Amino acid sequence: MENSQTLQDKATAAVKEQEEHWVAVSDLMGGLMMVFLLVSVVYMVMVEIERNKIREIALLYDKLQTQIYQDLYDEFRDDLPRWGAQLNEDLSLSFYRTEILFDKGEREVKDEFRAILADFFPRYVRIITSDTYRQDIAEVRIEGHTSTGWGEYTSEADAYINNMALSQARTRSALGYLLALPEVRHEKDWLKSKLTANGLSSSKPILLKTGEEDPELSRRVEIRLRTDAESRIAAIIDKIR
């Protein structure tokens, strides 16, 4: 009888110990779930904060783009037709009159295009270095574009490489001329930190509605403005990845 009671007590103790063990495990799991839930909520809040920042920057970026475009358009709208130029909403200004830009196969800026740049660039610099925009300009890109051709017997690959060398040399020539203009000398340090020369060969041809290339329009020079809103948005996205 006594042995039977002892066995029953032992069994009861074992069950009680097992129940206490599972209660402890349950408490631990519950605690971990609460921690996980808390971390998830904090992360979601942080993501929403960063998304709101992106929205705010995107709105500011759009407003800034619109303001700069309007100021540039107001300044140059009467000059664009005689320059053979076009101001685009992405803040690029394209010079399309191939015959006045460079002689065929040559890298030096022609005199007629020099005269246009001498008229255009000081006024352009005055706008983008104003107190309204100065701190928001990330880059002023001089882009040189060519058509895809390079002589009748040149392969497509060789034509691309030759045009790359030519477009790069032409943009360097244009950059050197612009930096040497006396009218922008007072902004030379700022310009040296923002102004870049980018030869793009035939990587971005102008296409007709038929899908075929327009060689004349493809051979162009573009002055492209980039604001720092893009880099701000990229930095925020990197944080929340």
PDB file of all heavy atoms in Angstrom, residues 156-189:
ATOM      1  N   GLU A 156      30.130  47.501 -87.232  1.00  0.00           N
ATOM      2  CA  GLU A 156      29.281  48.166 -86.247  1.00  0.00           C
ATOM      3  C   GLU A 156      30.029  48.388 -84.936  1.00  0.00           C
ATOM      4  O   GLU A 156      29.920  49.450 -84.316  1.00  0.00           O
ATOM      5  CB  GLU A 156      28.029  47.322 -86.003  1.00  0.00           C
ATOM      6  CG  GLU A 156      27.013  47.964 -85.062  1.00  0.00           C
ATOM      7  CD  GLU A 156      25.753  47.137 -84.919  1.00  0.00           C
ATOM      8  OE1 GLU A 156      25.347  46.495 -85.908  1.00  0.00           O
ATOM      9  OE2 GLU A 156      25.180  47.122 -83.814  1.00  0.00           O
ATOM     10  N   ALA A 157      30.799  47.376 -84.519  1.00  0.00           N
ATOM     11  CA  ALA A 157      31.559  47.480 -83.262  1.00  0.00           C
ATOM     12  C   ALA A 157      32.636  48.564 -83.359  1.00  0.00           C
ATOM     13  O   ALA A 157      32.800  49.379 -82.440  1.00  0.00           O
ATOM     14  CB  ALA A 157      32.189  46.138 -82.906  1.00  0.00           C
ATOM     15  N   ASP A 158      33.367  48.574 -84.490  1.00  0.00           N
ATOM     16  CA  ASP A 158      34.416  49.586 -84.666  1.00  0.00           C
ATOM     17  C   ASP A 158      33.818  50.991 -84.768  1.00  0.00           C
ATOM     18  O   ASP A 158      34.395  51.958 -84.259  1.00  0.00           O
ATOM     19  CB  ASP A 158      35.238  49.278 -85.917  1.00  0.00           C
ATOM     20  CG  ASP A 158      36.170  48.087 -85.730  1.00  0.00           C
ATOM     21  OD1 ASP A 158      36.430  47.732 -84.557  1.00  0.00           O
ATOM     22  OD2 ASP A 158      36.627  47.512 -86.729  1.00  0.00           O
ATOM     23  N   ALA A 159      32.667  51.099 -85.425  1.00  0.00           N
ATOM     24  CA  ALA A 159      31.999  52.400 -85.537  1.00  0.00           C
ATOM     25  C   ALA A 159      31.632  52.928 -84.155  1.00  0.00           C
ATOM     26  O   ALA A 159      31.805  54.122 -83.870  1.00  0.00           O
ATOM     27  CB  ALA A 159      30.753  52.276 -86.414  1.00  0.00           C
ATOM     28  N   TYR A 160      31.141  52.051 -83.299  1.00  0.00           N
ATOM     29  CA  TYR A 160      30.759  52.470 -81.948  1.00  0.00           C
ATOM     30  C   TYR A 160      31.975  52.968 -81.168  1.00  0.00           C
ATOM     31  O   TYR A 160      31.921  54.015 -80.507  1.00  0.00           O
ATOM     32  CB  TYR A 160      30.099  51.310 -81.199  1.00  0.00           C
ATOM     33  CG  TYR A 160      29.653  51.666 -79.807  1.00  0.00           C
ATOM     34  CD1 TYR A 160      28.460  52.344 -79.585  1.00  0.00           C
ATOM     35  CD2 TYR A 160      30.439  51.346 -78.695  1.00  0.00           C
ATOM     36  CE1 TYR A 160      28.050  52.689 -78.302  1.00  0.00           C
ATOM     37  CE2 TYR A 160      30.043  51.684 -77.417  1.00  0.00           C
ATOM     38  CZ  TYR A 160      28.850  52.354 -77.229  1.00  0.00           C
ATOM     39  OH  TYR A 160      28.451  52.700 -75.950  1.00  0.00           O
ATOM     40  N   ILE A 161      33.088  52.234 -81.256  1.00  0.00           N
ATOM     41  CA  ILE A 161      34.304  52.621 -80.538  1.00  0.00           C
ATOM     42  C   ILE A 161      34.863  53.930 -81.087  1.00  0.00           C
ATOM     43  O   ILE A 161      35.258  54.825 -80.321  1.00  0.00           O
ATOM     44  CB  ILE A 161      35.367  51.504 -80.638  1.00  0.00           C
ATOM     45  CG1 ILE A 161      34.889  50.239 -79.918  1.00  0.00           C
ATOM     46  CG2 ILE A 161      36.685  51.984 -80.034  1.00  0.00           C
ATOM     47  CD1 ILE A 161      34.603  50.421 -78.433  1.00  0.00           C
ATOM     48  N   ASN A 162      34.902  54.059 -82.398  1.00  0.00           N
ATOM     49  CA  ASN A 162      35.400  55.294 -83.006  1.00  0.00           C
ATOM     50  C   ASN A 162      34.539  56.496 -82.623  1.00  0.00           C
ATOM     51  O   ASN A 162      35.058  57.577 -82.316  1.00  0.00           O
ATOM     52  CB  ASN A 162      35.433  55.155 -84.531  1.00  0.00           C
ATOM     53  CG  ASN A 162      36.481  54.158 -85.006  1.00  0.00           C
ATOM     54  OD1 ASN A 162      37.411  53.832 -84.270  1.00  0.00           O
ATOM     55  ND2 ASN A 162      36.332  53.670 -86.229  1.00  0.00           N
ATOM     56  N   ASN A 163      33.230  56.290 -82.641  1.00  0.00           N
ATOM     57  CA  ASN A 163      32.321  57.367 -82.264  1.00  0.00           C
ATOM     58  C   ASN A 163      32.427  57.703 -80.781  1.00  0.00           C
ATOM     59  O   ASN A 163      32.224  58.853 -80.382  1.00  0.00           O
ATOM     60  CB  ASN A 163      30.880  56.992 -82.618  1.00  0.00           C
ATOM     61  CG  ASN A 163      30.547  57.254 -84.072  1.00  0.00           C
ATOM     62  OD1 ASN A 163      30.933  58.272 -84.627  1.00  0.00           O
ATOM     63  ND2 ASN A 163      29.840  56.327 -84.695  1.00  0.00           N
ATOM     64  N   MET A 164      32.737  56.707 -79.973  1.00  0.00           N
ATOM     65  CA  MET A 164      32.923  56.961 -78.540  1.00  0.00           C
ATOM     66  C   MET A 164      34.126  57.882 -78.324  1.00  0.00           C
ATOM     67  O   MET A 164      34.049  58.863 -77.574  1.00  0.00           O
ATOM     68  CB  MET A 164      33.129  55.645 -77.782  1.00  0.00           C
ATOM     69  CG  MET A 164      33.325  55.822 -76.267  1.00  0.00           C
ATOM     70  SD  MET A 164      31.867  56.518 -75.457  1.00  0.00           S
ATOM     71  CE  MET A 164      30.779  55.066 -75.471  1.00  0.00           C
ATOM     72  N   ALA A 165      35.230  57.568 -78.980  1.00  0.00           N
ATOM     73  CA  ALA A 165      36.426  58.405 -78.850  1.00  0.00           C
ATOM     74  C   ALA A 165      36.152  59.825 -79.353  1.00  0.00           C
ATOM     75  O   ALA A 165      36.569  60.808 -78.724  1.00  0.00           O
ATOM     76  CB  ALA A 165      37.582  57.779 -79.623  1.00  0.00           C
ATOM     77  N   LEU A 166      35.436  59.923 -80.467  1.00  0.00           N
ATOM     78  CA  LEU A 166      35.132  61.236 -81.036  1.00  0.00           C
ATOM     79  C   LEU A 166      34.201  62.037 -80.125  1.00  0.00           C
ATOM     80  O   LEU A 166      34.444  63.226 -79.862  1.00  0.00           O
ATOM     81  CB  LEU A 166      34.495  61.071 -82.417  1.00  0.00           C
ATOM     82  CG  LEU A 166      34.120  62.366 -83.141  1.00  0.00           C
ATOM     83  CD1 LEU A 166      35.355  63.216 -83.395  1.00  0.00           C
ATOM     84  CD2 LEU A 166      33.387  62.055 -84.451  1.00  0.00           C
ATOM     85  N   SER A 167      33.151  61.399 -79.621  1.00  0.00           N
ATOM     86  CA  SER A 167      32.195  62.121 -78.772  1.00  0.00           C
ATOM     87  C   SER A 167      32.841  62.564 -77.465  1.00  0.00           C
ATOM     88  O   SER A 167      32.561  63.653 -76.953  1.00  0.00           O
ATOM     89  CB  SER A 167      30.955  61.252 -78.494  1.00  0.00           C
ATOM     90  OG  SER A 167      31.293  60.074 -77.783  1.00  0.00           O
ATOM     91  N   GLN A 168      33.728  61.741 -76.918  1.00  0.00           N
ATOM     92  CA  GLN A 168      34.424  62.123 -75.689  1.00  0.00           C
ATOM     93  C   GLN A 168      35.352  63.308 -75.938  1.00  0.00           C
ATOM     94  O   GLN A 168      35.423  64.238 -75.127  1.00  0.00           O
ATOM     95  CB  GLN A 168      35.201  60.926 -75.139  1.00  0.00           C
ATOM     96  CG  GLN A 168      34.304  59.849 -74.543  1.00  0.00           C
ATOM     97  CD  GLN A 168      35.071  58.627 -74.095  1.00  0.00           C
ATOM     98  OE1 GLN A 168      36.230  58.434 -74.464  1.00  0.00           O
ATOM     99  NE2 GLN A 168      34.438  57.790 -73.292  1.00  0.00           N
ATOM    100  N   ALA A 169      36.070  63.274 -77.053  1.00  0.00           N
ATOM    101  CA  ALA A 169      36.974  64.383 -77.384  1.00  0.00           C
ATOM    102  C   ALA A 169      36.193  65.676 -77.605  1.00  0.00           C
ATOM    103  O   ALA A 169      36.626  66.759 -77.185  1.00  0.00           O
ATOM    104  CB  ALA A 169      37.790  64.033 -78.629  1.00  0.00           C
ATOM    105  N   ARG A 170      35.048  65.567 -78.227  1.00  0.00           N
ATOM    106  CA  ARG A 170      34.233  66.765 -78.486  1.00  0.00           C
ATOM    107  C   ARG A 170      33.688  67.368 -77.188  1.00  0.00           C
ATOM    108  O   ARG A 170      33.670  68.593 -77.044  1.00  0.00           O
ATOM    109  CB  ARG A 170      33.085  66.402 -79.430  1.00  0.00           C
ATOM    110  CG  ARG A 170      33.539  66.219 -80.873  1.00  0.00           C
ATOM    111  CD  ARG A 170      32.399  65.777 -81.769  1.00  0.00           C
ATOM    112  NE  ARG A 170      32.771  65.872 -83.178  1.00  0.00           N
ATOM    113  CZ  ARG A 170      31.983  65.506 -84.188  1.00  0.00           C
ATOM    114  NH1 ARG A 170      30.776  65.003 -83.941  1.00  0.00           N
ATOM    115  NH2 ARG A 170      32.405  65.638 -85.431  1.00  0.00           N
ATOM    116  N   THR A 171      33.236  66.534 -76.272  1.00  0.00           N
ATOM    117  CA  THR A 171      32.706  67.083 -75.014  1.00  0.00           C
ATOM    118  C   THR A 171      33.817  67.707 -74.181  1.00  0.00           C
ATOM    119  O   THR A 171      33.597  68.715 -73.513  1.00  0.00           O
ATOM    120  CB  THR A 171      31.977  66.004 -74.187  1.00  0.00           C
ATOM    121  OG1 THR A 171      32.846  64.883 -73.955  1.00  0.00           O
ATOM    122  CG2 THR A 171      30.728  65.521 -74.902  1.00  0.00           C
ATOM    123  N   ARG A 172      35.016  67.138 -74.226  1.00  0.00           N
ATOM    124  CA  ARG A 172      36.145  67.748 -73.514  1.00  0.00           C
ATOM    125  C   ARG A 172      36.489  69.105 -74.127  1.00  0.00           C
ATOM    126  O   ARG A 172      36.815  70.062 -73.404  1.00  0.00           O
ATOM    127  CB  ARG A 172      37.359  66.826 -73.529  1.00  0.00           C
ATOM    128  CG  ARG A 172      37.216  65.601 -72.635  1.00  0.00           C
ATOM    129  CD  ARG A 172      38.571  64.949 -72.373  1.00  0.00           C
ATOM    130  NE  ARG A 172      39.214  64.508 -73.599  1.00  0.00           N
ATOM    131  CZ  ARG A 172      39.046  63.299 -74.124  1.00  0.00           C
ATOM    132  NH1 ARG A 172      38.250  62.426 -73.539  1.00  0.00           N
ATOM    133  NH2 ARG A 172      39.688  62.962 -75.226  1.00  0.00           N
ATOM    134  N   SER A 173      36.402  69.175 -75.456  1.00  0.00           N
ATOM    135  CA  SER A 173      36.659  70.447 -76.134  1.00  0.00           C
ATOM    136  C   SER A 173      35.626  71.493 -75.728  1.00  0.00           C
ATOM    137  O   SER A 173      35.973  72.653 -75.431  1.00  0.00           O
ATOM    138  CB  SER A 173      36.621  70.243 -77.655  1.00  0.00           C
ATOM    139  OG  SER A 173      36.738  71.464 -78.345  1.00  0.00           O
ATOM    140  N   ALA A 174      34.363  71.097 -75.688  1.00  0.00           N
ATOM    141  CA  ALA A 174      33.298  72.019 -75.291  1.00  0.00           C
ATOM    142  C   ALA A 174      33.452  72.441 -73.833  1.00  0.00           C
ATOM    143  O   ALA A 174      33.284  73.618 -73.487  1.00  0.00           O
ATOM    144  CB  ALA A 174      31.932  71.364 -75.507  1.00  0.00           C
ATOM    145  N   LEU A 175      33.798  71.486 -72.971  1.00  0.00           N
ATOM    146  CA  LEU A 175      33.975  71.803 -71.551  1.00  0.00           C
ATOM    147  C   LEU A 175      35.102  72.814 -71.361  1.00  0.00           C
ATOM    148  O   LEU A 175      34.964  73.785 -70.601  1.00  0.00           O
ATOM    149  CB  LEU A 175      34.262  70.523 -70.759  1.00  0.00           C
ATOM    150  CG  LEU A 175      34.393  70.678 -69.238  1.00  0.00           C
ATOM    151  CD1 LEU A 175      33.874  69.421 -68.530  1.00  0.00           C
ATOM    152  CD2 LEU A 175      35.842  70.909 -68.818  1.00  0.00           C
ATOM    153  N   GLY A 176      36.215  72.595 -72.033  1.00  0.00           N
ATOM    154  CA  GLY A 176      37.341  73.520 -71.919  1.00  0.00           C
ATOM    155  C   GLY A 176      36.968  74.915 -72.365  1.00  0.00           C
ATOM    156  O   GLY A 176      37.369  75.912 -71.732  1.00  0.00           O
ATOM    157  N   TYR A 177      36.197  75.004 -73.446  1.00  0.00           N
ATOM    158  CA  TYR A 177      35.783  76.316 -73.946  1.00  0.00           C
ATOM    159  C   TYR A 177      34.861  77.018 -72.939  1.00  0.00           C
ATOM    160  O   TYR A 177      35.017  78.216 -72.661  1.00  0.00           O
ATOM    161  CB  TYR A 177      35.077  76.165 -75.287  1.00  0.00           C
ATOM    162  CG  TYR A 177      34.532  77.468 -75.815  1.00  0.00           C
ATOM    163  CD1 TYR A 177      35.374  78.450 -76.313  1.00  0.00           C
ATOM    164  CD2 TYR A 177      33.158  77.731 -75.781  1.00  0.00           C
ATOM    165  CE1 TYR A 177      34.878  79.665 -76.777  1.00  0.00           C
ATOM    166  CE2 TYR A 177      32.658  78.935 -76.243  1.00  0.00           C
ATOM    167  CZ  TYR A 177      33.517  79.902 -76.733  1.00  0.00           C
ATOM    168  OH  TYR A 177      33.025  81.099 -77.176  1.00  0.00           O
ATOM    169  N   LEU A 178      33.908  76.285 -72.374  1.00  0.00           N
ATOM    170  CA  LEU A 178      32.958  76.880 -71.437  1.00  0.00           C
ATOM    171  C   LEU A 178      33.644  77.365 -70.159  1.00  0.00           C
ATOM    172  O   LEU A 178      33.350  78.458 -69.656  1.00  0.00           O
ATOM    173  CB  LEU A 178      31.866  75.865 -71.081  1.00  0.00           C
ATOM    174  CG  LEU A 178      30.925  75.471 -72.223  1.00  0.00           C
ATOM    175  CD1 LEU A 178      29.970  74.385 -71.776  1.00  0.00           C
ATOM    176  CD2 LEU A 178      30.160  76.676 -72.745  1.00  0.00           C
ATOM    177  N   LEU A 179      34.561  76.563 -69.638  1.00  0.00           N
ATOM    178  CA  LEU A 179      35.255  76.967 -68.411  1.00  0.00           C
ATOM    179  C   LEU A 179      36.145  78.190 -68.627  1.00  0.00           C
ATOM    180  O   LEU A 179      36.431  78.923 -67.676  1.00  0.00           O
ATOM    181  CB  LEU A 179      36.105  75.807 -67.877  1.00  0.00           C
ATOM    182  CG  LEU A 179      35.368  74.712 -67.104  1.00  0.00           C
ATOM    183  CD1 LEU A 179      36.357  73.633 -66.672  1.00  0.00           C
ATOM    184  CD2 LEU A 179      34.647  75.279 -65.892  1.00  0.00           C
ATOM    185  N   ALA A 180      36.572  78.406 -69.871  1.00  0.00           N
ATOM    186  CA  ALA A 180      37.467  79.533 -70.165  1.00  0.00           C
ATOM    187  C   ALA A 180      36.721  80.839 -70.435  1.00  0.00           C
ATOM    188  O   ALA A 180      37.361  81.886 -70.573  1.00  0.00           O
ATOM    189  CB  ALA A 180      38.352  79.188 -71.361  1.00  0.00           C
ATOM    190  N   LEU A 181      35.393  80.785 -70.473  1.00  0.00           N
ATOM    191  CA  LEU A 181      34.634  82.002 -70.747  1.00  0.00           C
ATOM    192  C   LEU A 181      34.815  83.007 -69.607  1.00  0.00           C
ATOM    193  O   LEU A 181      34.584  82.671 -68.437  1.00  0.00           O
ATOM    194  CB  LEU A 181      33.142  81.679 -70.901  1.00  0.00           C
ATOM    195  CG  LEU A 181      32.733  80.951 -72.181  1.00  0.00           C
ATOM    196  CD1 LEU A 181      31.271  80.524 -72.103  1.00  0.00           C
ATOM    197  CD2 LEU A 181      32.974  81.827 -73.412  1.00  0.00           C
ATOM    198  N   PRO A 182      35.213  84.238 -69.902  1.00  0.00           N
ATOM    199  CA  PRO A 182      35.431  85.234 -68.835  1.00  0.00           C
ATOM    200  C   PRO A 182      34.184  85.506 -68.006  1.00  0.00           C
ATOM    201  O   PRO A 182      34.281  85.787 -66.808  1.00  0.00           O
ATOM    202  CB  PRO A 182      35.853  86.490 -69.619  1.00  0.00           C
ATOM    203  CG  PRO A 182      36.342  85.984 -70.937  1.00  0.00           C
ATOM    204  CD  PRO A 182      35.542  84.760 -71.237  1.00  0.00           C
ATOM    205  N   GLU A 183      33.006  85.392 -68.630  1.00  0.00           N
ATOM    206  CA  GLU A 183      31.762  85.717 -67.942  1.00  0.00           C
ATOM    207  C   GLU A 183      31.411  84.751 -66.822  1.00  0.00           C
ATOM    208  O   GLU A 183      30.565  85.056 -65.970  1.00  0.00           O
ATOM    209  CB  GLU A 183      30.600  85.763 -68.948  1.00  0.00           C
ATOM    210  CG  GLU A 183      30.719  86.861 -69.989  1.00  0.00           C
ATOM    211  CD  GLU A 183      31.552  86.429 -71.185  1.00  0.00           C
ATOM    212  OE1 GLU A 183      32.152  85.339 -71.140  1.00  0.00           O
ATOM    213  OE2 GLU A 183      31.606  87.200 -72.172  1.00  0.00           O
ATOM    214  N   VAL A 184      32.034  83.552 -66.796  1.00  0.00           N
ATOM    215  CA  VAL A 184      31.730  82.581 -65.734  1.00  0.00           C
ATOM    216  C   VAL A 184      32.935  82.358 -64.820  1.00  0.00           C
ATOM    217  O   VAL A 184      32.935  81.442 -63.999  1.00  0.00           O
ATOM    218  CB  VAL A 184      31.255  81.231 -66.324  1.00  0.00           C
ATOM    219  CG1 VAL A 184      29.993  81.427 -67.148  1.00  0.00           C
ATOM    220  CG2 VAL A 184      32.348  80.567 -67.154  1.00  0.00           C
ATOM    221  N   ARG A 185      33.947  83.187 -64.977  1.00  0.00           N
ATOM    222  CA  ARG A 185      35.174  82.998 -64.205  1.00  0.00           C
ATOM    223  C   ARG A 185      34.901  83.024 -62.694  1.00  0.00           C
ATOM    224  O   ARG A 185      35.526  82.293 -61.934  1.00  0.00           O
ATOM    225  CB  ARG A 185      36.183  84.079 -64.590  1.00  0.00           C
ATOM    226  CG  ARG A 185      37.577  83.888 -63.976  1.00  0.00           C
ATOM    227  CD  ARG A 185      38.523  84.965 -64.495  1.00  0.00           C
ATOM    228  NE  ARG A 185      38.642  84.886 -65.950  1.00  0.00           N
ATOM    229  CZ  ARG A 185      38.950  85.919 -66.714  1.00  0.00           C
ATOM    230  NH1 ARG A 185      39.133  87.119 -66.191  1.00  0.00           N
ATOM    231  NH2 ARG A 185      39.063  85.764 -68.023  1.00  0.00           N
ATOM    232  N   HIS A 186      33.975  83.876 -62.266  1.00  0.00           N
ATOM    233  CA  HIS A 186      33.679  84.000 -60.839  1.00  0.00           C
ATOM    234  C   HIS A 186      33.032  82.746 -60.269  1.00  0.00           C
ATOM    235  O   HIS A 186      32.978  82.560 -59.049  1.00  0.00           O
ATOM    236  CB  HIS A 186      32.770  85.210 -60.588  1.00  0.00           C
ATOM    237  CG  HIS A 186      31.425  85.094 -61.251  1.00  0.00           C
ATOM    238  ND1 HIS A 186      31.260  85.147 -62.620  1.00  0.00           N
ATOM    239  CD2 HIS A 186      30.186  84.922 -60.724  1.00  0.00           C
ATOM    240  CE1 HIS A 186      29.975  85.010 -62.911  1.00  0.00           C
ATOM    241  NE2 HIS A 186      29.306  84.874 -61.788  1.00  0.00           N
ATOM    242  N   GLU A 187      32.520  81.860 -61.141  1.00  0.00           N
ATOM    243  CA  GLU A 187      31.906  80.605 -60.693  1.00  0.00           C
ATOM    244  C   GLU A 187      32.741  79.385 -61.094  1.00  0.00           C
ATOM    245  O   GLU A 187      32.256  78.262 -61.073  1.00  0.00           O
ATOM    246  CB  GLU A 187      30.502  80.460 -61.279  1.00  0.00           C
ATOM    247  CG  GLU A 187      29.486  81.453 -60.764  1.00  0.00           C
ATOM    248  CD  GLU A 187      29.105  81.214 -59.298  1.00  0.00           C
ATOM    249  OE1 GLU A 187      29.625  80.258 -58.695  1.00  0.00           O
ATOM    250  OE2 GLU A 187      28.295  81.992 -58.775  1.00  0.00           O
ATOM    251  N   LYS A 188      34.002  79.621 -61.411  1.00  0.00           N
ATOM    252  CA  LYS A 188      34.827  78.536 -61.959  1.00  0.00           C
ATOM    253  C   LYS A 188      34.990  77.380 -60.973  1.00  0.00           C
ATOM    254  O   LYS A 188      34.910  76.209 -61.353  1.00  0.00           O
ATOM    255  CB  LYS A 188      36.197  79.078 -62.368  1.00  0.00           C
ATOM    256  CG  LYS A 188      36.998  78.101 -63.238  1.00  0.00           C
ATOM    257  CD  LYS A 188      38.189  78.791 -63.867  1.00  0.00           C
ATOM    258  CE  LYS A 188      38.920  77.861 -64.815  1.00  0.00           C
ATOM    259  NZ  LYS A 188      40.050  78.517 -65.495  1.00  0.00           N
ATOM    260  N   ASP A 189      35.222  77.683 -59.696  1.00  0.00           N
ATOM    261  CA  ASP A 189      35.398  76.610 -58.715  1.00  0.00           C
ATOM    262  C   ASP A 189      34.125  75.779 -58.592  1.00  0.00           C
ATOM    263  O   ASP A 189      34.185  74.538 -58.507  1.00  0.00           O
ATOM    264  CB  ASP A 189      35.783  77.196 -57.352  1.00  0.00           C
ATOM    265  CG  ASP A 189      37.200  77.738 -57.340  1.00  0.00           C
ATOM    266  OD1 ASP A 189      37.994  77.354 -58.221  1.00  0.00           O
ATOM    267  OD2 ASP A 189      37.514  78.569 -56.462  1.00  0.00           O
TER     268      ASP A 189
END
